[in-house]
Amino acid sequence: QVDLVESGGGLVQAGGSLRLSCVASGLTFSSYTMGWFRQAPGKERAFVAGIRWSGTRTNYPSSVKGRFTISRDNAKNTVYLQMNNLKPEDTAVYFCAAKYYGAGTDQDEYDYWGQGTQVTVSS
């Protein structure tokens, strides 16, 4: 059974930082592109960041580029999302996801999902 478990969410003030973690089990971690998505109340789930197996290829939408950094530690089966200079509009449930090889920014391309962790940014 594949399991993705996110942690690290919480409440921070605007301008603050959080680091999310996602630990994967039940899959060959290095064979998967890992991604982060988020869903705010009343909005569709949106792509936040993606990283290929080697960690050398990353992808971000303009809404977070320059503020968020995705990284991975294949030895620990863990992907991270470092979030700096957080804004109130970053408030959402953040989901970790895994995609077998290749790049992807659409949620339908991802095979496995975590349960989500809440990030709340106050003004």
Side-chain angles (χ1 to χ4, degrees), residues 41-102:
K43 296 184 178 180
E44 297 295 318
R45 188 172 298 183
F47 174 76
V48 175
I51 187 167
R52 300 289 289 273
W53 71 271
S54 68
T56 60
R57 296 181 181 180
T58 58
N59 188 25
Y60 309 91
S62 59
S63 58
V64 307
K65 193 172 186 178
R67 299 188 298 120
F68 291 9
T69 303
I70 188 171
S71 61
R72 67 191 296 162
D73 186 340
N74 287 347
K76 296 182 178 180
N77 282 13
T78 301
V79 62
Y80 305 94
L81 184 68
Q82 178 67 45
M83 304 184 293
N84 297 327
N85 191 25
L86 283 160
K87 303 175 180 180
E89 54 262 43
D90 295 319
T91 295
V93 177
Y94 283 70
F95 297 90
C96 175
K99 176 184 184 297
Y100 188 68
Y101 287 120

Side-chain angles (χ1 to χ4, degrees), residues 95-119:
F95 297 90
C96 175
K99 176 184 184 297
Y100 188 68
Y101 287 120
T105 59
D106 295 334
Q107 64 181 69
D108 290 346
E109 295 183 271
Y110 283 77
D111 302 298
Y112 305 107
W113 294 84
Q115 81 288 347
T117 185
Q118 177 70 47
V119 172

